[in-house]
Coordinates of all heavy atoms in Angstrom, one line a residue:
I5 N -6.8 -7.3 2.9 CA -7.0 -8.0 1.6 C -7.3 -9.5 2.2 O -6.7 -10.0 3.0 CB -5.8 -8.0 0.8 CG1 -5.5 -6.6 0.2 CG2 -5.9 -9.0 -0.4 CD1 -4.3 -6.5 -0.6
N6 N -8.3 -10.0 1.5 CA -8.8 -11.4 1.9 C -7.9 -12.5 1.3 O -8.1 -13.7 1.7 CB -10.2 -11.5 1.5 CG -11.2 -10.6 2.2 OD1 -10.8 -10.0 3.2 ND2 -12.4 -10.6 1.8
Q7 N -7.1 -12.2 0.4 CA -6.3 -13.3 -0.3 C -5.0 -13.7 0.4 O -4.2 -14.4 -0.2 CB -6.0 -12.8 -1.8 CG -7.2 -12.9 -2.7 CD -7.9 -11.6 -2.6 OE1 -7.7 -10.6 -1.9 NE2 -9.0 -11.4 -3.3
E8 N -4.9 -13.2 1.6 CA -3.7 -13.7 2.5 C -2.3 -13.1 2.0 O -1.4 -13.9 2.2 CB -3.8 -15.1 2.7 CG -5.1 -15.6 3.5 CD -5.0 -17.1 3.8 OE1 -4.0 -17.7 3.5 OE2 -6.1 -17.5 4.1
F9 N -2.3 -12.1 1.3 CA -1.1 -11.4 1.0 C -0.5 -10.6 2.2 O -1.3 -10.2 3.0 CB -1.1 -10.4 -0.2 CG -1.6 -11.1 -1.5 CD1 -2.9 -10.9 -2.0 CD2 -0.7 -11.9 -2.2 CE1 -3.1 -11.5 -3.2 CE2 -1.0 -12.5 -3.4 CZ -2.3 -12.3 -3.8
T10 N 0.9 -10.5 2.1 CA 1.5 -9.6 3.2 C 1.4 -8.2 2.7 O 1.9 -8.0 1.6 CB 2.9 -10.1 3.5 OG1 2.9 -11.4 3.9 CG2 3.6 -9.3 4.6
C11 N 0.7 -7.3 3.4 CA 0.6 -6.0 3.0 C 1.3 -4.9 3.9 O 1.4 -5.3 5.1 CB -0.9 -5.6 3.0 SG -1.9 -6.6 1.9
Y12 N 1.7 -3.9 3.4 CA 2.3 -2.9 4.2 C 1.7 -1.5 3.9 O 1.4 -1.2 2.7 CB 3.8 -2.7 3.8 CG 4.5 -4.0 3.9 CD1 4.7 -4.9 2.9 CD2 5.0 -4.4 5.2 CE1 5.3 -6.1 3.1 CE2 5.7 -5.6 5.4 CZ 5.9 -6.4 4.3 OH 6.5 -7.6 4.5
M13 N 1.4 -0.7 4.9 CA 1.0 0.6 4.7 C 1.8 1.5 5.7 O 1.6 1.5 6.8 CB -0.5 0.8 5.1 CG -1.0 2.3 4.7 SD -2.6 2.8 5.2 CE -3.6 1.5 4.9
P14 N 2.9 2.2 5.1 CA 3.7 3.0 6.0 C 2.9 4.1 6.6 O 2.1 4.7 5.9 CB 4.7 3.6 5.0 CG 4.7 2.6 3.8 CD 3.3 2.1 3.8
M15 N 3.1 4.3 7.9 CA 2.4 5.3 8.7 C 3.4 6.3 9.3 O 4.6 6.0 9.4 CB 1.6 4.7 9.8 CG 0.7 3.6 9.3 SD -0.7 4.2 8.4 CE -1.8 4.7 9.7
Y16 N 2.8 7.5 9.6 CA 3.6 8.5 10.3 C 2.6 9.1 11.4 O 1.5 9.0 11.3 CB 4.3 9.5 9.5 CG 3.3 10.6 8.8 CD1 3.2 11.9 9.4 CD2 2.5 10.2 7.8 CE1 2.4 12.8 9.0 CE2 1.6 11.2 7.3 CZ 1.6 12.5 7.8 OH 0.7 13.4 7.3
S17 N 3.3 9.7 12.3 CA 2.5 10.5 13.4 C 2.2 12.0 12.9 O 3.1 12.7 12.7 CB 3.2 10.6 14.7 OG 3.5 9.3 15.2
K18 N 0.9 12.2 12.7 CA 0.5 13.5 12.3 C 0.0 14.3 13.4 O -0.8 13.9 14.2 CB -0.6 13.3 11.2 CG -1.1 14.6 10.6 CD -2.2 14.3 9.5 CE -2.7 15.5 8.9 NZ -3.8 15.2 7.9
E19 N 0.5 15.7 13.5 CA -0.1 16.5 14.6 C -1.2 17.3 14.0 O -1.1 18.0 13.0 CB 1.1 17.4 15.0 CG 2.2 16.7 15.8 CD 3.3 17.7 16.2 OE1 3.2 18.9 16.0 OE2 4.2 17.2 16.9
I20 N -2.3 17.3 14.8 CA -3.4 18.1 14.4 C -3.6 19.1 15.6 O -3.8 18.7 16.7 CB -4.7 17.3 14.2 CG1 -4.5 16.3 13.1 CG2 -5.9 18.1 13.9 CD1 -5.5 15.3 12.9
I21 N -3.6 20.4 15.3 CA -3.7 21.4 16.3 C -5.2 22.0 16.2 O -5.6 22.6 15.1 CB -2.7 22.5 16.1 CG1 -1.3 21.9 16.2 CG2 -2.9 23.6 17.1 CD1 -0.2 22.9 15.8
T22 N -5.9 21.9 17.3 CA -7.2 22.6 17.3 C -7.5 23.2 18.8 O -7.2 22.5 19.8 CB -8.3 21.5 17.1 OG1 -8.2 20.5 18.0 CG2 -8.2 20.9 15.7
K23 N -7.9 24.4 18.8 CA -8.3 25.0 20.0 C -7.2 24.7 21.3 O -7.7 24.2 22.3 CB -9.6 24.6 20.5 CG -10.7 25.1 19.4 CD -12.0 24.8 20.0 CE -13.1 25.2 19.0 NZ -14.5 24.8 19.5
K24 N -6.0 25.1 21.0 CA -5.0 24.9 22.0 C -4.7 23.5 22.4 O -4.0 23.2 23.4 CB -5.3 25.8 23.3 CG -5.5 27.2 23.1 CD -6.0 27.8 24.4 CE -6.2 29.2 24.2 NZ -6.6 29.9 25.5
K25 N -5.1 22.5 21.6 CA -4.8 21.2 21.8 C -4.0 20.6 20.7 O -4.3 21.0 19.5 CB -6.0 20.4 22.0 CG -6.8 20.6 23.3 CD -8.0 19.8 23.4 CE -8.8 20.1 24.5 NZ -10.1 19.3 24.7
I26 N -3.1 19.8 21.0 CA -2.3 19.0 19.9 C -2.7 17.5 20.0 O -2.5 16.9 21.1 CB -0.8 19.2 20.1 CG1 -0.5 20.7 19.9 CG2 -0.1 18.4 19.0 CD1 1.1 21.0 20.1
K27 N -3.2 17.1 18.9 CA -3.6 15.6 18.9 C -2.7 14.9 17.9 O -2.6 15.4 16.8 CB -5.0 15.5 18.5 CG -5.6 14.1 18.5 CD -7.0 14.0 18.1 CE -7.5 12.7 18.0 NZ -9.0 12.6 17.6
I28 N -2.1 13.9 18.2 CA -1.3 13.1 17.4 C -2.0 11.9 16.9 O -2.4 11.0 17.8 CB 0.1 12.8 18.0 CG1 0.9 14.0 18.5 CG2 0.9 11.9 17.1 CD1 2.1 13.8 19.2
T29 N -2.2 11.7 15.6 CA -2.9 10.6 15.0 C -2.0 9.8 14.0 O -1.3 10.5 13.3 CB -4.1 11.0 14.4 OG1 -3.9 11.9 13.4 CG2 -5.1 11.6 15.4
P30 N -2.1 8.5 13.9 CA -1.3 7.8 12.8 C -2.1 8.1 11.5 O -3.2 8.1 11.3 CB -1.5 6.4 13.2 CG -2.6 6.3 14.2 CD -2.8 7.7 14.8
S31 N -1.2 8.5 10.5 CA -1.7 8.7 9.2 C -1.0 7.9 8.1 O 0.3 7.8 8.3 CB -1.7 10.3 8.8 OG -2.6 10.9 9.7
P32 N -1.4 7.6 7.0 CA -0.6 6.9 5.9 C 0.4 7.9 5.3 O 0.1 9.0 5.1 CB -1.8 6.5 4.9 CG -3.1 6.8 5.4 CD -2.9 7.6 6.7
L33 N 1.6 7.4 5.2 CA 2.6 8.1 4.5 C 2.3 8.3 3.1 O 2.6 9.4 2.5 CB 4.0 7.4 4.7 CG 5.2 8.1 4.2 CD1 5.4 9.4 5.0 CD2 6.4 7.2 4.4
F34 N 1.7 7.4 2.4 CA 1.3 7.4 1.1 C -0.2 7.2 0.9 O -0.6 6.0 0.8 CB 2.0 6.5 0.1 CG 3.5 6.6 0.3 CD1 4.3 5.7 1.0 CD2 4.2 7.6 -0.4 CE1 5.7 5.8 1.2 CE2 5.6 7.8 -0.3 CZ 6.2 6.9 0.5
P35 N -1.1 8.1 1.2 CA -2.6 7.8 1.1 C -2.9 7.2 -0.2 O -2.4 7.5 -1.3 CB -3.1 9.3 1.2 CG -2.1 10.1 1.8 CD -0.7 9.6 1.3
R36 N -3.8 6.2 0.0 CA -4.4 5.5 -1.2 C -3.4 4.5 -1.8 O -3.7 3.9 -2.9 CB -4.9 6.4 -2.3 CG -6.1 7.3 -1.8 CD -6.5 8.3 -2.9 NE -6.7 7.6 -4.2 CZ -7.8 7.6 -4.9 NH1 -8.9 8.3 -4.5 NH2 -7.9 6.9 -6.0
Y37 N -2.3 4.3 -1.2 CA -1.3 3.3 -1.7 C -1.1 2.2 -0.6 O -1.1 2.4 0.5 CB 0.0 3.9 -2.0 CG 0.1 4.8 -3.2 CD1 -0.4 6.1 -3.1 CD2 0.6 4.3 -4.4 CE1 -0.4 6.9 -4.3 CE2 0.6 5.1 -5.6 CZ 0.0 6.4 -5.5 OH 0.1 7.1 -6.6
L38 N -1.0 1.0 -1.2 CA -0.8 -0.2 -0.3 C 0.3 -1.0 -0.9 O 0.1 -1.3 -2.1 CB -2.1 -1.0 -0.2 CG -2.1 -2.2 0.7 CD1 -2.0 -1.8 2.2 CD2 -3.4 -3.0 0.6
F39 N 1.2 -1.5 -0.2 CA 2.3 -2.2 -0.8 C 2.1 -3.6 -0.4 O 1.7 -4.0 0.7 CB 3.7 -1.8 -0.2 CG 4.0 -0.3 -0.6 CD1 3.5 0.7 0.3 CD2 4.7 0.0 -1.7 CE1 3.7 2.0 0.0 CE2 4.9 1.4 -2.0 CZ 4.4 2.3 -1.2
I40 N 2.2 -4.6 -1.4 CA 1.9 -6.0 -1.3 C 3.3 -6.8 -1.6 O 3.9 -6.5 -2.6 CB 0.8 -6.4 -2.2 CG1 -0.4 -5.7 -2.0 CG2 0.5 -7.9 -2.2 CD1 -1.5 -5.8 -3.0
E41 N 3.5 -7.7 -0.7 CA 4.7 -8.6 -0.9 C 4.2 -9.8 -1.8 O 3.4 -10.6 -1.4 CB 5.2 -9.1 0.4 CG 6.4 -9.9 0.3 CD 7.0 -10.3 1.7 OE1 6.9 -9.5 2.6 OE2 7.5 -11.4 1.8
V42 N 4.8 -10.0 -2.9 CA 4.6 -11.1 -3.8 C 5.9 -11.5 -4.5 O 6.6 -10.6 -4.9 CB 3.6 -10.7 -4.9 CG1 3.2 -11.8 -5.9 CG2 2.3 -10.1 -4.4
N43 N 6.2 -12.7 -4.5 CA 7.4 -13.2 -5.2 C 7.2 -13.2 -6.7 O 6.1 -13.2 -7.2 CB 7.9 -14.5 -4.5 CG 7.0 -15.6 -4.7 OD1 6.3 -15.7 -5.9 ND2 6.8 -16.5 -3.8
D44 N 8.4 -13.3 -7.3 CA 8.4 -13.3 -8.8 C 7.7 -14.4 -9.5 O 7.0 -14.2 -10.5 CB 9.9 -13.2 -9.3 CG 10.4 -11.9 -9.1 OD1 9.8 -10.9 -8.9 OD2 11.7 -11.9 -9.0
E45 N 7.7 -15.6 -8.8 CA 7.0 -16.8 -9.4 C 5.5 -16.7 -9.3 O 4.8 -17.2 -10.2 CB 7.5 -18.0 -8.7 CG 8.9 -18.4 -8.8 CD 9.9 -17.6 -7.9 OE1 9.5 -17.5 -6.7 OE2 10.9 -17.2 -8.3
S46 N 5.0 -16.0 -8.3 CA 3.5 -16.0 -8.2 C 2.8 -14.7 -8.6 O 1.6 -14.6 -8.6 CB 3.2 -16.2 -6.7 OG 3.6 -15.2 -5.9
I47 N 3.6 -13.8 -9.2 CA 3.0 -12.4 -9.5 C 2.0 -12.6 -10.5 O 0.9 -12.1 -10.6 CB 4.0 -11.4 -9.8 CG1 3.4 -10.0 -10.0 CG2 4.8 -11.8 -11.0 CD1 2.6 -9.4 -8.8
Q48 N 2.3 -13.4 -11.6 CA 1.4 -13.5 -12.8 C 0.1 -14.2 -12.3 O -0.9 -13.9 -12.7 CB 2.1 -14.2 -14.0 CG 3.2 -13.3 -14.6 CD 2.7 -11.9 -15.0 OE1 1.5 -11.8 -15.5 NE2 3.5 -10.9 -14.9
K49 N 0.3 -15.2 -11.5 CA -0.8 -16.0 -11.0 C -1.8 -15.2 -10.1 O -3.0 -15.3 -10.2 CB -0.3 -17.2 -10.2 CG -1.4 -18.2 -9.8 CD -0.9 -19.3 -9.0 CE -0.5 -19.0 -7.7 NZ -0.2 -20.2 -6.8
N50 N -1.2 -14.3 -9.3 CA -1.9 -13.6 -8.2 C -2.4 -12.2 -8.7 O -3.1 -11.6 -8.0 CB -1.1 -13.4 -7.1 CG -1.0 -14.8 -6.4 OD1 -1.9 -15.5 -6.2 ND2 0.3 -15.0 -5.9
I51 N -1.9 -11.7 -9.8 CA -2.3 -10.3 -10.3 C -3.8 -10.2 -10.4 O -4.3 -9.1 -10.1 CB -1.4 -9.9 -11.5 CG1 -1.4 -8.4 -11.6 CG2 -2.0 -10.5 -12.7 CD1 -0.3 -7.9 -12.5
G52 N -4.4 -11.2 -10.9 CA -5.8 -11.1 -11.0 C -6.6 -11.0 -9.7 O -7.6 -10.3 -9.5
L53 N -6.1 -11.7 -8.7 CA -6.7 -11.7 -7.3 C -6.5 -10.3 -6.7 O -7.4 -9.8 -6.1 CB -5.9 -12.7 -6.4 CG -6.3 -14.1 -6.7 CD1 -5.4 -15.1 -5.7 CD2 -7.8 -14.4 -6.4
I54 N -5.3 -9.7 -7.0 CA -5.1 -8.4 -6.5 C -5.9 -7.3 -7.2 O -6.6 -6.6 -6.5 CB -3.5 -8.0 -6.7 CG1 -2.7 -8.9 -5.9 CG2 -3.3 -6.5 -6.3 CD1 -1.2 -8.9 -6.2
R55 N -6.0 -7.4 -8.4 CA -6.9 -6.4 -9.2 C -8.4 -6.5 -8.9 O -9.1 -5.6 -9.0 CB -6.6 -6.6 -10.8 CG -5.2 -6.2 -11.1 CD -5.0 -6.3 -12.6 NE -5.8 -5.1 -13.2 CZ -6.3 -5.2 -14.4 NH1 -6.1 -6.2 -15.1 NH2 -7.0 -4.2 -14.8
S56 N -8.8 -7.7 -8.5 CA -10.2 -7.9 -8.2 C -10.6 -7.7 -6.7 O -11.7 -7.8 -6.3 CB -10.7 -9.4 -8.7 OG -10.0 -10.4 -7.8
T57 N -9.6 -7.4 -5.9 CA -9.8 -7.1 -4.5 C -10.6 -5.8 -4.3 O -10.3 -4.7 -5.0 CB -8.5 -6.9 -3.7 OG1 -7.8 -8.2 -3.9 CG2 -8.8 -6.6 -2.3
L58 N -11.7 -5.8 -3.5 CA -12.4 -4.6 -3.3 C -11.6 -3.5 -2.7 O -10.9 -3.6 -1.9 CB -13.5 -4.9 -2.2 CG -14.5 -3.9 -1.9 CD1 -15.4 -3.6 -3.1 CD2 -15.4 -4.3 -0.7
G59 N -11.8 -2.4 -3.4 CA -11.1 -1.2 -3.1 C -9.8 -0.9 -3.9 O -9.2 0.2 -4.0
V60 N -9.3 -1.9 -4.6 CA -8.1 -1.8 -5.6 C -8.6 -1.0 -6.8 O -9.5 -1.5 -7.5 CB -7.5 -3.1 -6.0 CG1 -6.4 -2.9 -6.9 CG2 -6.9 -3.7 -4.6
H61 N -8.0 0.1 -7.1 CA -8.3 0.9 -8.3 C -7.5 0.5 -9.4 O -8.0 0.1 -10.6 CB -8.3 2.4 -8.0 CG -8.7 3.2 -9.2 ND1 -9.9 3.3 -9.7 CD2 -7.9 3.9 -10.0 CE1 -9.9 4.1 -10.8 NE2 -8.7 4.5 -11.0
Q62 N -6.2 0.4 -9.3 CA -5.3 0.0 -10.3 C -3.9 -0.3 -9.7 O -3.7 0.1 -8.5 CB -5.2 1.1 -11.4 CG -4.6 2.4 -10.9 CD -4.5 3.4 -12.0 OE1 -4.9 3.2 -13.2 NE2 -3.9 4.6 -11.8
L63 N -3.1 -0.9 -10.5 CA -1.7 -1.3 -10.0 C -0.8 -0.3 -10.6 O -1.0 0.2 -11.8 CB -1.3 -2.7 -10.4 CG -2.2 -3.8 -9.9 CD1 -1.8 -5.1 -10.4 CD2 -2.1 -3.8 -8.3
L64 N 0.3 0.1 -10.0 CA 1.4 0.9 -10.6 C 2.2 0.0 -11.5 O 2.7 -1.1 -11.0 CB 2.2 1.5 -9.5 CG 1.6 2.6 -8.7 CD1 2.6 3.1 -7.6 CD2 1.1 3.7 -9.5
K65 N 2.3 0.3 -12.8 CA 3.0 -0.7 -13.7 C 3.9 0.2 -14.7 O 3.6 1.4 -14.9 CB 1.9 -1.3 -14.5 CG 1.0 -2.3 -13.8 CD 0.3 -3.1 -14.6 CE -0.8 -2.4 -15.4 NZ -1.7 -3.2 -16.2
I66 N 4.9 -0.5 -15.2 CA 5.7 0.1 -16.2 C 5.3 -0.9 -17.4 O 5.7 -2.1 -17.4 CB 7.2 0.0 -16.0 CG1 7.5 1.0 -14.8 CG2 7.9 0.4 -17.3 CD1 8.9 1.0 -14.5
G67 N 4.6 -0.4 -18.5 CA 4.1 -1.3 -19.4 C 3.1 -2.2 -18.9 O 2.1 -1.8 -18.4
E68 N 3.3 -3.5 -19.1 CA 2.5 -4.5 -18.5 C 2.9 -5.1 -17.2 O 2.2 -6.0 -16.7 CB 2.2 -5.7 -19.6 CG 1.4 -5.2 -20.8 CD 0.1 -4.7 -20.5 OE1 -0.7 -5.4 -19.7 OE2 -0.2 -3.6 -21.1
N69 N 4.0 -4.7 -16.7 CA 4.6 -5.3 -15.4 C 4.4 -4.4 -14.2 O 4.8 -3.2 -14.3 CB 6.1 -5.5 -15.7 CG 6.3 -6.5 -16.8 OD1 5.6 -7.6 -16.9 ND2 7.3 -6.2 -17.7
P70 N 4.0 -4.9 -13.1 CA 3.9 -4.2 -11.9 C 5.3 -3.7 -11.5 O 6.3 -4.4 -11.7 CB 3.3 -5.2 -10.8 CG 2.7 -6.2 -11.6 CD 3.5 -6.3 -12.9
I71 N 5.3 -2.6 -10.8 CA 6.5 -1.9 -10.5 C 7.1 -2.7 -9.2 O 6.3 -3.0 -8.3 CB 6.4 -0.4 -10.1 CG1 6.0 0.3 -11.3 CG2 7.6 0.1 -9.4 CD1 5.7 1.8 -11.2
K72 N 8.3 -3.0 -9.2 CA 8.9 -3.7 -8.0 C 9.5 -2.7 -7.2 O 10.3 -1.7 -7.7 CB 10.0 -4.7 -8.5 CG 9.4 -5.9 -9.3 CD 10.5 -6.9 -9.8 CE 9.9 -8.0 -10.6 NZ 10.9 -8.8 -11.0
I73 N 9.5 -2.9 -5.9 CA 10.3 -1.9 -4.9 C 11.1 -2.9 -4.1 O 10.7 -4.0 -3.5 CB 9.3 -1.3 -4.0 CG1 8.4 -0.4 -4.8 CG2 10.1 -0.5 -3.0 CD1 7.3 0.3 -4.0
S74 N 12.4 -2.6 -4.1 CA 13.4 -3.4 -3.3 C 13.2 -3.3 -1.8 O 12.6 -2.3 -1.3 CB 14.8 -3.2 -3.6 OG 15.1 -1.9 -3.3
A75 N 13.6 -4.3 -1.0 CA 13.4 -4.3 0.4 C 14.6 -3.9 1.1 O 14.9 -4.3 2.2 CB 12.9 -5.7 0.9
E76 N 15.4 -3.0 0.4 CA 16.7 -2.5 1.2 C 16.5 -1.8 2.4 O 15.4 -1.0 2.4 CB 17.4 -1.7 0.2 CG 17.9 -2.4 -1.1 CD 18.6 -1.5 -2.1 OE1 18.7 -0.3 -1.7 OE2 19.0 -1.9 -3.2
K77 N 17.3 -1.9 3.4 CA 17.1 -1.2 4.6 C 18.0 -0.1 4.7 O 19.0 0.0 4.1 CB 17.3 -2.2 5.7 CG 16.2 -3.2 5.7 CD 16.5 -4.2 7.0 CE 15.4 -5.2 6.9 NZ 15.4 -6.1 8.1

C-alpha cells in the first residue's frame, strides 16, 4: 500500500507434491485478505485512502464501521 500503513499478511508453509518432489512455498493464510493497522483516531480520516488503494475491493464492516481485530497474543 502506498499510503504508508502498517500491513500484515499472515503466511504459512504450503507443501506442494509433484513427481516425487516436495516443494515448500510460502502461501497466504487468508487469501485475498490484508490486515491494516490503523488507530481509532485516524480510521475515519484514512478509510477513504484505504478504499481507493489499487487492489482493494471492499472492507469487512459491521454496519458502517470496519471490523476491529485485537492484537492479543
Side-chain angles (χ1 to χ4, degrees):
I5 294 179
N6 295 349
Q7 287 85 359
E8 299 181 12
F9 293 108
T10 302
C11 301
Y12 304 95
M13 185 188 317
M15 304 290 280
Y16 75 102
S17 296
K18 181 178 182 179
E19 290 184 357
I20 300 173
I21 302 171
T22 58
K23 297 183 183 180
K24 300 180 183 179
K25 293 182 182 179
I26 297 176
K27 182 178 179 182
I28 299 175
T29 60
S31 296
L33 186 58
F34 304 104
R36 298 178 47 126
Y37 287 81
L38 184 66
F39 299 89
I40 301 171
E41 184 178 325
V42 181
N43 61 37
D44 288 337
E45 294 82 39
S46 68
I47 186 64
Q48 292 304 321
K49 180 177 85 171
N50 292 317
I51 202 162
L53 288 174
I54 296 166
R55 293 185 70 209
S56 65
T57 299
L58 184 63
V60 173
H61 179 68
Q62 66 182 0
L63 299 175
L64 294 179
K65 299 188 294 184
I66 296 177
E68 293 298 315
N69 300 315
I71 296 175
K72 295 180 185 180
I73 300 174
S74 67
E76 294 177 6
K77 294 181 180 183

